[in-house]
Amino acid sequence: MYTINENYQKLPGSYLFSTIAKKVAAYTESNPQKPLIRLGIGDVTLPIAPAVIQAMHKAVDEMAEASTFRGYAPDLGYAFLRAAIVENDYKQRGCQISEDEIFVSDGAKSDSGNIQELFSQDCRIAVTDPVYPVYVDSNVMAGRCGVYDSASQTWSKVIYMPCTRENGFVPEFPKETPDIIYLCIPNNPTGTTIPKTKLQKWVDYANAKGAVIIYDAAYEAYITQEDVAHSIYECKDADSCAIEIRSFSKNAGFTGVRLGFTVVPKALKCGGVSLNAMWTRRHGTKYNGAPYMIQRAGEAVYSKEGKAQLKEQVGYYMKNASVIKEGLTKAGYEVYGGVNAPYIWLKTPGSMSSWEFFDYLLEQANVVGTPGSGFGPSGEGYFRLTAFGSYESTVEALGRIEVL
Ligand SMILES: *Cc1c(COP(=O)(O)O)cnc(C)c1O
């Protein structure tokens, strides 16, 4: 008789988005005349840029001709895409990353969930609190997190690094030494960043402790400030301690298209064993490559037209972010993020909990956001609004909040 991976049974239910959906449905049912504005979503809304669509169409047509048809893609991605990534994301930023260190995939969620299988089960992970839930849950599934305490909402073997207004949302080195450190910068959910000088200190720390950093840079395209690194490889010696995960979802609207990549430098070694070789083996065994049409679409993201069109899209969302930031500030809220990320993280007024503020905003302004406590215990007392809505609805939502 078979048995199951009992670790799955340890996962607490993910009540966050289902509870939001239930509350919203109940409110809409009893107040059908009040139009809601949803600023809770972490998904893009603008259509894919014309240059990208054109490249995708062309690639589809190629698949219809015997002479240009392509079967299985190379495991690690087509050379045309990996070359474009190396040139634009790394070489132009002074990072020495080569094509055989790039692993094209179907997205950053899969990669950030899968990457943990390179490490032994007794490795201790450290995460920021609040956190993107995938990092913790994927390690729970692998049996690396110990037992869950529902009162404190923490796992016994996970090292938590609180990121709050008290420390400026910059994680401090933990008391216990971690083996695997997850960093997401610019951050989801807080929308905050850390300066490159601080990131360098994390790189130095990881190298000194023999730890590995899993660096999620899904929001890199939203960085506007000079002192924020676009890649962890802008830091000295990061290639011997860091894996970087990137996505085409937030910069190019690929959430439904699916494309991302992970960088595993050849200098990253554990006792002489190359993690690059391990991840190559993993891709070869478990992955048959991202679709040709999608990789051509990804290539177009780096074309001259593609870059210009995407800069406009990111600019559109960032204009929403400043509408939210300025509106909330004017209304007297304490606001973070929204400068290098499409997320605004606000402190709930007084002693209001995250969920109390959710209800207040839903009932009084008919605006839907996300309670900060859903991302971890240190998210309690905070609330996330996203800039992914339309400009008109964002302006309308802030108008409603300002007159409360
Ligand atoms: C949206 C998001 C991603 C992107 O995931 P994809 O699978 O590429 O769509 C990755 N990490 C974080 C923190 C995100 O918010």
Side-chain angles (χ1 to χ4, degrees):
M1 194 183 108
Y2 68 87
T3 54
I4 55 159
N5 176 354
E6 287 291 342
N7 294 313
Y8 275 68
Q9 302 304 102
K10 296 181 191 165
L11 287 164
S14 176
Y15 298 118
L16 181 62
F17 289 101
S18 63
T19 308
I20 292 174
K22 273 184 212 144
K23 278 178 178 272
V24 169
Y27 185 82
T28 327
E29 204 178 338
S30 40
N31 302 276
Q33 76 291 358
K34 294 190 176 167
L36 291 185
I37 299 177
R38 291 165 203 271
L39 299 183
I41 43 158
D43 194 357
V44 295
T45 53
L46 291 174
I48 298 194
V52 176
I53 288 292
Q54 211 170 27
M56 219 186 303
H57 277 167
K58 184 166 169 277
V60 169
D61 289 339
E62 283 178 51
M63 291 302 234
E65 297 287 334
S67 60
T68 48
F69 165 79
R70 314 266 186 139
Y72 287 126
D75 294 338
L76 307 191
Y78 281 104
F80 60 77
L81 179 57
R82 293 157 86 201
I85 290 169
V86 164
E87 175 61 32
N88 292 277
D89 287 325
Y90 296 104
K91 213 169 168 187
Q92 288 180 11
R93 298 207 179 274
C95 306
Q96 296 198 335
I97 294 295
S98 58
E99 286 167 34
D100 54 2
E101 296 173 311
I102 307 285
F103 297 77
V104 174
S105 74
D106 64 343
K109 189 179 203 176
S110 327
D111 282 351
S112 61
N114 289 329
I115 199 78
Q116 49 73 32
E117 72 179 59
L118 293 184
F119 307 103
S120 74
Q121 209 178 359
D122 57 4
C123 282
R124 292 285 304 273
I125 71 158
V127 295
T128 59
D129 169 25
V131 70
Y132 180 60
V134 177
Y135 314 147
V136 175
D137 288 0
S138 57
N139 279 286
V140 171
M141 292 168 176
R144 218 173 264 121
C145 295
V147 289
Y148 186 69
D149 175 48
S150 53
S152 63
Q153 296 173 51
T154 55
W155 293 89
S156 60
K157 289 189 183 164
V158 173
I159 299 168
Y160 292 90
M161 306 181 288
C163 289
T164 60
R165 58 180 176 168
E166 283 74 24
N167 60 16
F169 302 94
V170 179
E172 290 150 30
F173 299 139
K175 286 190 193 77
E176 295 173 276
T177 304
D179 303 300
I180 305 168
I181 301 158
Y182 286 87
L183 294 178
C184 172
I185 300 164
N187 191 259
N188 178 11
T190 67
T192 58
T193 55
I194 69 176
K196 192 163 147 183
T197 47
K198 281 266 164 58
L199 185 60
Q200 180 66 59
K201 293 207 161 70
W202 271 100
V203 167
D204 296 342
Y205 173 86
N207 273 320
K209 302 285 185 187
V212 62
I213 296 174
I214 311 292
Y215 192 77
D216 186 339
Y219 296 96
E220 171 275 332
Y222 292 84
I223 294 172
T224 60
Q225 288 178 317
E226 278 291 316
D227 68 336
V228 181
H230 287 254
S231 162
I232 196 168
Y233 305 113
E234 289 177 36
C235 294
K236 194 170 169 290
D237 296 331
D239 60 348
S240 57
C241 70
I243 291 172
E244 180 164 289
I245 298 173
R246 293 276 193 111
S247 168
F248 289 77
S249 286
K250 311 297 165 38
N251 63 333
F254 278 37
T255 52
V257 172
R258 311 307 307 139
L259 192 68
F261 64 90
T262 285
V263 183
V264 187
K266 283 174 286 185
L268 188 57
K269 288 187 176 154
C270 181
V273 178
S274 158
L275 270 68
N276 178 287
M278 287 176 75
W279 199 236
T280 302
R281 182 61 195 256
R282 187 266 172 201
H283 260 241
T285 300
K286 295 193 179 183
Y287 193 53
N288 258 332
Y292 173 69
M293 296 79 76
I294 308 304
Q295 293 197 52
R296 280 294 185 199
E299 181 189 29
V301 164
Y302 297 103
S303 68
K304 194 161 165 268
E305 303 75 32
K307 277 183 186 169
Q309 291 162 7
L310 295 177
K311 197 173 161 192
E312 225 168 278
Q313 289 200 348
V314 168
Y316 178 89
Y317 294 133
M318 286 311 277
K319 193 165 137 198
N320 291 345
S322 54
V323 166
I324 300 172
K325 208 173 161 72
E326 282 161 25
L328 290 173
T329 307
K330 209 156 90 188
Y333 289 94
E334 204 180 308
V335 188
Y336 304 95
V339 176
N340 298 296
Y343 296 116
I344 283 84
W345 191 243
L346 67 102
K347 183 75 194 75
T348 59
S351 56
M352 226 186 233
S353 74
S354 297
W355 277 110
E356 281 166 354
F357 188 75
F358 176 88
D359 292 333
Y360 169 75
L361 213 59
L362 176 63
E363 286 158 20
Q364 304 301 318
N366 308 134
V367 172
V368 183
T370 313
S373 55
F375 299 100
S378 295
E380 181 56 272
Y382 294 90
F383 197 78
R384 191 189 77 174
L385 292 175
T386 84
F388 288 131
S390 73
Y391 176 71
E392 292 72 21
S393 65
T394 305
V395 169
E396 163 76 18
L398 268 294
R400 294 185 197 171
I401 293 172
E402 279 170 40
V403 297
L404 284 182

